[in-house]
């Protein structure tokens, strides 16, 4: 059976929706890596905490989805800031391996804590009432919620990009990301920015988790399954490159969906094949620079 | 295959160590009860994906069986000394293998119960055979346990892939839903289920329009869901063999893409009541599946479920009830035999007919050690019809024991 044009278009949409999650998670990872040089292996767990946060907020406190979209990331910003101050910062001067082990350990601890509290079964979370219908997109109908996720993620990524390129704060963060010593020499206290940037990355992962809650299974392992793919995305985009990570996120989502349509057997490995190919061609990733700390 | 080899190596290594280490022979000479006590060991998943539907609460269910056995027989009991122990096999065949050896040898377990995950279940069956000790599998689905890999000491208790496919595939097809689209996770369980469903659907006069393997684990099933209405002929049923988190993902997306409204029903290969609880009944409303047992089926089940809930704080899954039943029937068999010597107990179990809170019209087939019992075709109720906590299922019909399971002759079991 050959897929029709509509099938292909629908698949592209599916891909972009998956890509939304890749992009949001990759964005946070890239910002954290760029500024701190830390590969945050706990990023998947933060995404999981976001989804659980939304679930607990609704089930325990009756907080609706729209409020959770603001509250849960805000809470995770604080969690991220505390983690950075209490743990990450202390290991930063050492070999990067130490922070890798730390964040990996954090993942296990967070997963087990959630498991202890809520078990391994997935938790229920309804779609917000406003988004239960579907939207007509020219040739086909598509669930309104997925369209919302895609739009929200595009807007968020664009906003982060604008802040980084068009504001003073962005200027400082970018400068500190690329040339920390030189930025310091200009009298800017780089260390002051490290905590909020880490918190921001964690909050973004949490936000992705809240967005995932109505459409994905909410269980302690949901982040662990996803984060491997996101790492591949970040590597393809170029370690530390914010723009590259976001672009690679959407592109990989799209590619996987089309792979699903034409060569289903490859869909799972496709991302790693692409990663290998990109690394052979550009060892620092598509948008990474050779001289970066990669 | 590699895992099997590794498990076998681990098994032989551990075996050598244990024999060399303790030098303890078989069950002691003239004692009727070895070591002066009966030890029931629950070996299952206590922290992974099956922890909620079985796990620690299965251990509690076995304790309930011991208490009921003691209350029934009192001073007449073959021994008053009955112990329940447990271990976590993490769903890994190599760990299951070494834990099983440890339970039988060092902790003097007379029987092992539960063992979800087919690869782990088969590993334990090998140990049971080698050690000549009893093993009741409850949690695993593979028909191999009563097929080519059957043995004298292994019994398969609650369910299997044949029973699931035969129940759901046959019944749903006979309701007039001829065309199926099967979606299954690409690993042993999913492939096995797909084959069993295909056979059952074909035998009932239906057609499998298409069958797609999906990555495992997977969180985006939209490709398959969008494909379903475009197939020719358009399938009336989407049969999913996914389990756990993947099943939840698929069902959420099935609802988002409004397949039910497009005339494509959902049928689930293996579903536990905990899965319905995960998503809420409305997401599954109208979905048919085969259940080995349902807590709210009749007064007898409700009473047992109430006791279980008082002990654990949650409603029992069929796996919990089946663990209770297997432990109880094992103890009763020891009582009838007057000894816990494995061969004597096996003789008392083979061909035995009984009826308990889990197993109705039950008997233990001597040819392949399949425990056959009534099973149920169930439909998930919409939330509006749910009256009490966890009251999610409407039992459409009872599938009688002798029709529910694969005929002994078809499995290829040569009992050894």
């Amino acid at each position: 059976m050959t897929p029709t044009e509509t099938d292909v278009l629908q698949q592209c949409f599916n891909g972009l929706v998956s890509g939304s999650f890749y992009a949001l998670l990759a964005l946070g990872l890239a910002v954290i890596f760029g500024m701190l040089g830390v590969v945050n292996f706990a990023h998947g767990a933060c995404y999981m905490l976001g989804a659980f946060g939304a679930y607990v907020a609704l089930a325990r406190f009756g907080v609706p989805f729209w409020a959770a979209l603001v509250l849960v990331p805000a809470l995770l910003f604080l969690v991220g800031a505390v983690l950075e101050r209490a743990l990450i910062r202390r290991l930063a001067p050492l070999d990067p391996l130490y922070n890798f082990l730390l964040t990996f350990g954090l993942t296990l601890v967070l997963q087990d804590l959630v498991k202890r509290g809520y078990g391994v079964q997935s938790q229920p979370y309804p779609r917000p009432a406003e988004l239960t219908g579907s939207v007509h997109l020219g040739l086909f109908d598509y669930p309104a919620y997925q369209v919302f996720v895609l739009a929200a993620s595009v807007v968020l990524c664009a906003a982060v990009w604008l802040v980084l390129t068009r504001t003073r704060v962005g200027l400082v963060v970018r400068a500190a990301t690329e040339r920390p010593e030189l930025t310091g020499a200009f009298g800017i206290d780089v260390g002051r920015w490290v905590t909020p940037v880490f918190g921001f990355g964690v909050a973004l992962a949490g936000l992705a988790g809240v967005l995932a809650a109505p459409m994905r299974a909410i269980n302690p392992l949901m982040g662990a399954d996803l984060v491997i793919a996101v790492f591949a995305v970040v590597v393809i985009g170029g370690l530390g490159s914010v723009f590259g990570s976001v672009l690679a996120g959407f592109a990989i989502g799209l590619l996987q969906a089309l792979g699903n349509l034409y060569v289903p057997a490859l869909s799972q490995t496709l991302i790693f094949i692409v990663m290998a190919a990109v690394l052979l061609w550009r060892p620092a990733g598509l948008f990474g620079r050779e001289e970066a700390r990669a | 295959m590699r895992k099997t080899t590794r498990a076998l190596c681990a098994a032989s290594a551990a075996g050598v160590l244990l024999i060399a280490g303790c030098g303890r022979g078989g069950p002691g000479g003239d004692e009727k009860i070895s070591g002066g006590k009966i030890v029931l060991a629950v070996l299952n998943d206590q922290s992974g994906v099956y922890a909620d539907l079985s796990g620690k609460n299965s251990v509690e269910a076995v304790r309930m069986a011991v208490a009921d056995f003691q209350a029934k027989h009192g001073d007449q009991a073959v021994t008053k000394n009955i112990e329940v122990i447990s271990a976590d096999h993490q769903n890994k065949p190599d760990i299951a293998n070494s834990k099983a050896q440890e339970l039988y040898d060092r902790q003097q377990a007379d029987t092992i119960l539960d063992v979800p995950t087919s690869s782990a279940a088969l590993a334990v069956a090998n140990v049971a055979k080698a050690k000549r000790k009893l093993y009741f599998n409850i949690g695993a689905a593979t028909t191999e346990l009563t097929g080519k890999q059957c043995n004298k000491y292994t019994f398969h208790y609650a369910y299997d892939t044949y029973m699931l496919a035969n129940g759901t595939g046959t019944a749903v097809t006979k309701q007039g839903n001829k065309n199926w689209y099967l979606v299954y996770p690409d690993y042993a369980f999913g492939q096995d289920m797909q084959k069993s469903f295909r056979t059952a659907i074909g035998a009932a006069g239906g057609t499998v329009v298409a069958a797609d393997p999906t990555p495992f684990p997977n969180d985006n099933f939209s490709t398959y869901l969008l494909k379903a209405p475009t197939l020719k002929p358009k399938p009336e049923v989407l049969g999913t063999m996914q389990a756990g988190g993947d099943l939840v993902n698929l069902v959420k997306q099935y609802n988002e893409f409004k397949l039910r409204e497009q005339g494509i029903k959902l049928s689930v290969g293996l579903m536990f009541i905990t899965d319905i609880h995960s998503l809420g009944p409305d997401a599954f409303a109208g979905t048919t599946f085969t259940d080995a047992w349902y807590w709210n089926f009749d007064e007898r089940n409700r009473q047992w479920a109430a006791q279980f809930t008082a002990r654990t704080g949650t409603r029992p899954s069929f796996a919990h009830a089946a663990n209770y039943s297997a432990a109880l029937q094992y103890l009763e068999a020891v009582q009838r035999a007057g000894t816990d010597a494995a061969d004597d107990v096996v003789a008392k179990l083979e061909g035995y007919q009984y009826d308990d809170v889990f197993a109705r019209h039950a008997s233990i087939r001597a040819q392949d050690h399949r425990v056959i019992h009534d099973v149920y075709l169930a439909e998930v109720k919409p939330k509006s019809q749910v009256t009490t906590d966890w009251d999610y299922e409407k039992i459409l019909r009872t599938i009688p024991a002798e029709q529910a399971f694969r005929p002994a002759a078809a499995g290829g079991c040569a009992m050894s």
Side-chain angles (χ1 to χ4, degrees):
Chain A
M1 196 189 67
T2 47
T4 65
E5 253 171 63
T6 316
D7 292 342
V8 176
L9 268 175
Q10 284 191 325
Q11 281 311 325
C12 291
F13 239 84
N14 293 339
L16 290 174
V17 172
S18 286
S20 300
F21 291 103
Y22 292 155
L24 281 177
L25 289 170
L27 176 59
L29 270 183
V31 169
I32 289 175
F33 179 81
M35 186 88 177
L36 288 76
V38 170
V39 177
N40 181 24
F41 257 75
H43 216 62
C46 300
Y47 163 78
M48 179 269 290
L49 284 182
F52 261 93
Y55 161 71
V56 174
L58 181 70
R60 186 75 62 82
F61 306 106
V63 177
F65 173 77
W66 301 104
L69 218 41
V70 178
L71 287 177
V72 172
L75 210 64
L76 278 167
F77 178 87
L78 293 178
V79 171
V82 169
L83 283 180
E84 198 279 329
R85 278 288 157 115
L87 301 167
I88 309 259
R89 172 165 300 219
R90 288 162 207 276
L91 299 181
L94 305 174
D95 191 297
L97 198 60
Y98 286 93
N99 256 319
F100 159 68
L101 286 175
L102 171 69
T103 50
F104 188 70
L106 273 175
T107 302
L108 298 179
V109 170
L110 291 172
Q111 276 175 5
D112 272 14
L113 283 176
V114 174
K115 227 186 243 178
R116 191 158 275 264
Y118 298 95
V120 293
Q121 282 289 326
S122 305
Q123 304 298 331
Y125 195 90
R127 268 174 301 171
E130 298 82 355
L131 296 174
T132 45
S134 49
V135 179
H136 190 68
L137 297 168
L139 291 168
F140 54 87
D141 288 328
Y142 208 78
Y145 187 76
Q146 332 277 78
V147 176
F148 164 74
V149 167
L150 179 55
S153 138
V154 170
V155 168
L156 270 167
C157 293
V160 172
W161 189 69
L162 280 177
V163 167
L164 283 177
T165 53
R166 297 278 188 279
T167 66
R168 216 185 132 67
V169 176
L171 191 71
V172 172
V173 170
R174 266 188 311 143
T177 302
E178 295 182 12
R179 296 275 193 286
E181 292 82 12
L182 195 61
T183 313
F186 276 109
I188 293 167
D189 184 359
V190 175
R192 199 159 65 93
W193 291 96
V194 166
T195 308
V197 165
F198 190 84
F200 175 74
V202 169
L204 263 184
L207 185 65
V210 180
L211 286 174
M215 59 182 283
R216 297 270 200 265
I218 307 173
N219 59 46
L221 292 175
M222 63 188 288
D225 296 339
L226 189 64
V227 79
I228 309 286
V230 174
F231 271 111
V233 165
V234 175
V235 170
I236 291 168
L239 276 172
S241 164
V242 170
F243 181 70
S245 300
V246 170
L247 206 67
F250 284 109
I252 289 297
L254 207 56
L255 207 64
Q256 271 191 329
L258 293 176
N260 253 336
L261 194 61
Y262 294 105
V263 235
L266 266 184
S267 64
Q268 198 81 329
T269 36
L270 198 59
I271 186 167
F272 299 102
I273 296 173
V274 172
M275 185 176 84
V278 165
L279 288 183
L280 281 174
W281 174 47
R282 288 182 71 103
L286 287 177
F287 294 89
R289 287 173 311 150
E290 308 278 338
E291 55 186 336
R293 273 180 289 182
Chain B
M1 284 328 284
R2 251 178 301 141
K3 272 193 172 162
T4 325
T5 326
R6 193 149 43 101
L8 283 176
C9 295
S12 35
V16 168
L17 280 178
L18 280 169
I19 292 164
C22 20
R24 195 175 208 286
D30 34 43
E31 281 176 346
K32 282 196 168 149
I33 297 295
S34 60
K37 63 181 175 184
I38 300 174
V39 180
L40 300 139
V42 182
L43 178 60
N44 65 11
D45 174 9
Q46 312 211 334
S47 52
V49 288
Y50 303 120
D52 291 348
L53 60 92
S54 178
K56 288 196 164 61
N57 286 342
S58 284
V59 183
E60 204 53 41
V62 169
R63 291 208 181 96
M64 286 170 71
V66 172
D68 288 353
F69 174 80
Q70 285 169 330
K72 180 181 166 194
H73 292 284
D75 288 338
Q76 304 301 311
V78 64
T79 174
K80 285 187 172 174
N81 210 351
I82 305 174
E83 197 182 336
V84 177
I85 57 177
S86 69
D88 187 353
H89 73 343
Q90 299 169 33
N91 299 319
K92 295 187 179 112
D94 44 349
I95 297 183
N97 184 305
S98 54
K99 289 277 180 196
Q101 311 231 13
E102 190 187 320
L103 290 169
Y104 283 136
D105 287 340
R106 202 144 5 144
Q107 312 218 46
Q108 296 171 39
D110 292 296
T111 182
I112 288 179
L113 298 146
D114 208 5
V115 200
T117 305
S118 293
S119 51
L122 291 167
V124 175
N126 278 328
V127 180
K129 182 183 176 185
K131 303 279 174 201
R132 300 170 173 273
K133 291 279 183 71
L134 271 77
Y135 164 41
F136 291 86
N137 182 279
I138 286 127
T142 179
T143 49
E144 283 286 293
L145 284 168
T146 52
K148 295 216 166 57
Q149 302 200 42
C150 71
N151 72 65
K152 184 182 172 183
Y153 301 93
T154 297
F155 295 84
H156 200 185
Y157 214 83
Y159 76 118
D160 59 36
T161 54
Y162 178 95
M163 160 264 191
L164 296 170
N166 180 49
T168 311
T170 308
V172 175
T173 307
K174 285 196 170 153
Q175 281 164 9
N177 307 289
K178 297 286 178 206
N179 297 310
W180 288 69
Y181 174 36
L182 298 177
V183 180
Y184 61 97
D186 208 358
Y187 69 103
F189 167 76
Q191 293 153 357
D192 195 15
M193 286 286 281
Q194 191 258 144
K195 271 185 227 148
S196 304
F197 263 78
R198 200 178 266 279
T199 312
I201 292 163
T207 318
V208 176
V209 179
D212 280 327
T214 70
F216 171 77
N218 186 24
D219 62 4
N220 192 347
F221 289 96
S222 36
T223 308
Y224 315 100
L225 297 168
L226 284 168
K227 184 177 168 187
T230 70
L231 292 167
K232 302 230 164 14
K234 186 173 144 187
E236 284 123 1
V237 199
L238 173 73
T240 161
M241 308 299 138
Q242 265 70 25
D246 279 16
L247 176 64
V248 172
N249 274 321
L250 188 140
V251 174
K252 277 193 178 186
Q253 291 155 25
Y254 167 87
N255 284 305
E256 277 158 25
F257 286 102
K258 301 207 182 308
L259 260 62
R260 189 179 289 124
E261 287 82 345
Q262 296 176 48
I264 299 175
K265 290 177 191 144
L266 182 67
S267 191
V268 179
L270 169 61
M271 185 145 76
F272 290 90
I273 194 165
T274 39
D275 293 321
I276 309 176
H277 186 69
S278 281
L279 274 174
D282 272 348
F284 279 110
T287 301
T288 40
F289 65 105
T290 307
D291 205 347
W293 182 84
Y294 178 49
W295 71 271
N296 204 9
F297 174 67
D298 63 9
E299 195 46 43
R300 199 171 164 195
N301 289 11
R302 273 191 288 277
Q303 271 183 16
W304 186 82
Q307 285 176 35
F308 180 88
T309 307
R311 278 170 171 250
T312 63
T314 184
R315 292 289 187 207
S317 71
F318 79 69
H320 296 133
N323 270 289
Y324 167 87
S325 172
L328 190 65
Q329 294 310 326
Y330 169 74
L331 291 171
E332 290 289 353
V334 174
Q335 181 74 21
R336 289 196 300 279
T339 169
D340 65 355
D343 289 318
D344 298 340
V345 180
V346 169
K348 290 289 175 199
L349 284 165
E350 284 183 339
Y352 184 63
Q353 299 193 352
Y354 62 100
D355 197 270
D356 68 19
V357 69
F358 169 80
R360 306 294 167 82
H361 302 109
S363 60
I364 303 173
R365 259 190 339 219
Q367 300 98 306
D368 62 352
H369 287 187
R370 176 69 249 175
V371 177
I372 62 168
H373 56 90
D374 290 356
V375 301
Y376 310 92
L377 190 71
E379 184 181 281
V380 182
K381 290 181 184 179
K383 201 173 180 179
S384 53
Q385 291 174 26
V386 171
T387 49
T388 58
D389 274 2
W390 293 75
D391 166 36
Y392 298 141
E393 298 177 22
K394 185 164 101 189
I395 301 299
L396 300 177
R397 71 184 189 90
T398 300
I399 304 168
E402 53 282 4
Q403 287 171 26
F405 291 92
R406 182 175 68 184
C413 162
M415 194 55 75
S416 55

